[in-house]
Amino acid sequence: LESHSQVVVGDVSDLADGQMMSCVAGTTNVLVCRVKGSLYAIEDRCSHADVVLSTGLLQGHIVTCPRHGARFDVRDGSHAGPPAHTGVKSFDISDTDTGIAVTLRKTERPDEFPEGGYLRTR
Ligand code: FES
């Protein structure tokens, strides 16, 4: 898996069910949340404009953007409501010896995120 790298984003043991936090993985901002006991990680940037999603509202598996209300499913980053047209990236998240890690493609950089965002890429 040379094209992927795991980046430890820290200790999320305090993250309660239904809560979100923003983490930095390399140069990527990642929204980490816990829903019904499971951790999820998606890009912490709305595909509609450059706005962090982690200050929005999380209801079940759906996060609502704080700016204009676009919705995304934290399970896969898929688009779940307008005004955005596309989803955001999602990442694998796992427990490691040194903490929670998200898996990024080596090439993932913010300047590779085109306007309009991504559909699910993994
Ligand atoms: S910036 Fe997120 S819906 Fe517009």
Side-chain angles (χ1 to χ4, degrees):
L1 287 173
E2 278 181 29
S3 61
H4 293 69
S5 61
Q6 278 199 328
V7 180
V8 173
V9 295
D11 182 4
V12 297
S13 55
D14 285 347
L15 191 66
D17 217 77
Q19 281 192 334
M20 300 184 278
M21 61 187 287
S22 189
C23 302
V24 177
T27 55
T28 303
N29 292 322
V30 178
L31 177 163
V32 174
C33 63
R34 193 189 306 275
V35 180
K36 294 179 182 165
S38 296
L39 288 169
Y40 300 98
I42 63 171
E43 182 186 352
D44 194 6
R45 180 180 185 273
C46 188
S47 63
H48 187 232
D50 189 8
V51 172
V52 296
L53 293 172
S54 56
T55 57
L57 185 67
L58 180 64
Q59 295 171 297
H61 291 103
I62 303 297
V63 60
T64 300
C65 176
R67 179 75 61 87
H68 310 114
R71 299 190 300 149
F72 304 92
D73 191 320
V74 298
R75 290 172 288 194
D76 60 4
S78 62
H79 173 245
H85 304 292
T86 59
V88 296
K89 289 187 176 188
S90 65
F91 307 103
D92 286 326
I93 184 164
S94 54
D95 231 331
T96 70
D97 290 345
T98 48
I100 293 291
V102 300
T103 302
L104 304 179
R105 289 185 302 140
K106 278 248 168 70
T107 55
E108 262 160 13
R109 299 173 54 84
D111 56 9
E112 291 175 345
F113 292 8
E115 201 61 44
Y118 275 76
L119 294 170
R120 181 175 182 177
T121 57
R122 66 175 171 78

